[in-house]
Amino acid sequence: MTGSHTLGETEARVANRLSHMTLDFEAMAVTSNLFRAASAVRNHFERNVLAESGLSWTAFVVLWVTWIWEPAETRDIAAEAGISKATLTGVLSTLEKMGLVTRARSTTDGRLVLVSLTKDGQTLMETLFPAFNRQEIAVVSPVADDKRGELADMLRAITAKIEG
Amino acid sequence: MTGSHTLGETEARVANRLSHMTLDFEAMAVTSNLFRAASAVRNHFERNVLAESGLSWTAFVVLWVTWIWEPAETRDIAAEAGISKATLTGVLSTLEKMGLVTRARSTTDGRLVLVSLTKDGQTLMETLFPAFNRQEIAVVSPVADDKRGELADMLRAITAKIEG
DNA sequence: TTGAGATTGTTTGGATACGAACAATATGGT
DNA sequence: ACCATATTGTTCGTATCCAAACAATCTCAA
């Protein structure tokens, strides 16, 4: 992620470039590191856990949400996965083509589409999710045990603040 | 981001679905909230700060890195922005078309391309970045002042662990 | 009953995203 | 000087990703 420049070098140049502005560097550091971490973790998962299944990050999340809420309405899947409904349409088509999910129009509301996992989809998730969790443990390991709950809470608070 | 289900409801279903697996739910909560937060913050910035300039999140990050390191080598921009060089090629073409950056081949190394901001690009960043920082402050506000440094450090540690 | 308005999933158009293959350039040893 | 190897940015193919427009369906008041 980081280029050839050290952290201190970057911050020095930033401070120099922005010296005439009144800025909150601590807030800047939080958001900046939030994105670096999220991006690094995501790429790590894609390469080390998902690649062999041919799944993208988003495809996995969609599969996971469907797994939990099956049969799931697409509007809920999109909301839980944090993607637009337009994106979901494409991802579902991909997963359908891979034989992992099925689409079925609701009998009580003709506008709704209900998504379920196929047998293959279920089998895949039962092996994939534990593997995923093992990597989650490794990723979080540099944070002290008694700080992880606090970390999750702070991130939750940020999300709530924006979406509230 | 969250759908029609409450957090407790979701966790109950997850626990039920995964009851026969040995999982680290705290690690799961950290990564899960990491992505929710990053996604929420990114969407917030794109809609409230970047939209009026017609910039995507990535385009802004590329512009920012270039602003700091100008003239910047593309390999460094890609590394700092956390995107592949293939992606950068496309984003730079977009920014060039918008008249915000210029490309120039290095005179000392014919393989390198140096990127600089145009006058318009500089003007844009001088107004955009402070507006960006104001939103960063708002986003981080639900985290106590004396906890923000710790939060940034934990996120940095996670990134370092993966990329180390 | 009927029709205006709301909701839902898909399509469209354009930008982003990556791995792999590629051409151009640079480096190092001989 | 030569050339095998490495590095860099672009191109290609394919998969996301979103906003806006759209067609199908539902709701509910008149």
Side-chain angles (χ1 to χ4, degrees), chain A residues 94-116:
Chain A
T94 299
L95 290 174
E96 212 173 19
K97 207 181 307 172
M98 295 173 77
L100 299 176
V101 304
T102 55
R103 275 192 261 219
R105 201 155 280 277
S106 168
T107 54
T108 59
D109 188 335
R111 295 169 300 179
L112 271 46
V113 168
L114 302 178
V115 184
S116 299

Side-chain angles (χ1 to χ4, degrees), chain B residues 20-159:
Chain B
H20 62 294
M21 302 178 177
T22 16
L23 296 169
D24 185 330
F25 283 88
E26 198 164 50
M28 206 171 104
V30 170
T31 57
S32 167
N33 282 292
L34 173 63
F35 289 112
R36 280 177 184 274
S39 169
V41 171
R42 176 176 169 148
N43 288 338
H44 177 76
F45 281 157
E46 282 187 336
R47 284 198 264 266
N48 295 286
V49 185
L50 270 29
E52 55 189 312
S53 306
L55 288 176
S56 70
W57 170 266
T58 303
F60 172 77
V61 173
V62 167
L63 212 54
W64 185 81
V65 174
T66 306
W67 189 39
I68 299 300
W69 291 101
E70 186 181 20
E73 302 179 6
T74 59
R75 54 180 172 178
D76 290 338
I77 300 176
E80 294 278 349
I83 59 178
S84 71
K85 53 186 185 170
T87 298
L88 180 59
T89 296
V91 174
L92 279 181
S93 298
T94 299
L95 290 173
E96 212 174 19
K97 208 180 309 173
M98 295 173 76
L100 299 175
V101 305
T102 56
R103 277 191 259 218
R105 200 155 282 276
S106 167
T107 54
T108 59
D109 188 333
R111 296 169 302 180
L112 302 179
V113 168
L114 303 178
V115 185
S116 299
L117 262 60
T118 63
K119 201 82 180 173
D120 281 357
Q122 286 174 21
T123 305
L124 178 61
M125 283 306 284
E126 302 224 344
T127 63
L128 203 53
F129 192 72
F132 202 86
N133 190 242
R134 281 192 292 276
Q135 285 299 319
E136 287 179 318
I137 294 171
V139 157
V140 177
S141 67
V143 176
D145 300 42
D146 60 344
K147 293 287 184 184
R148 290 175 200 161
E150 210 174 333
L151 173 56
D153 284 344
M154 289 191 279
L155 293 171
R156 224 188 317 257
I158 289 175
T159 305

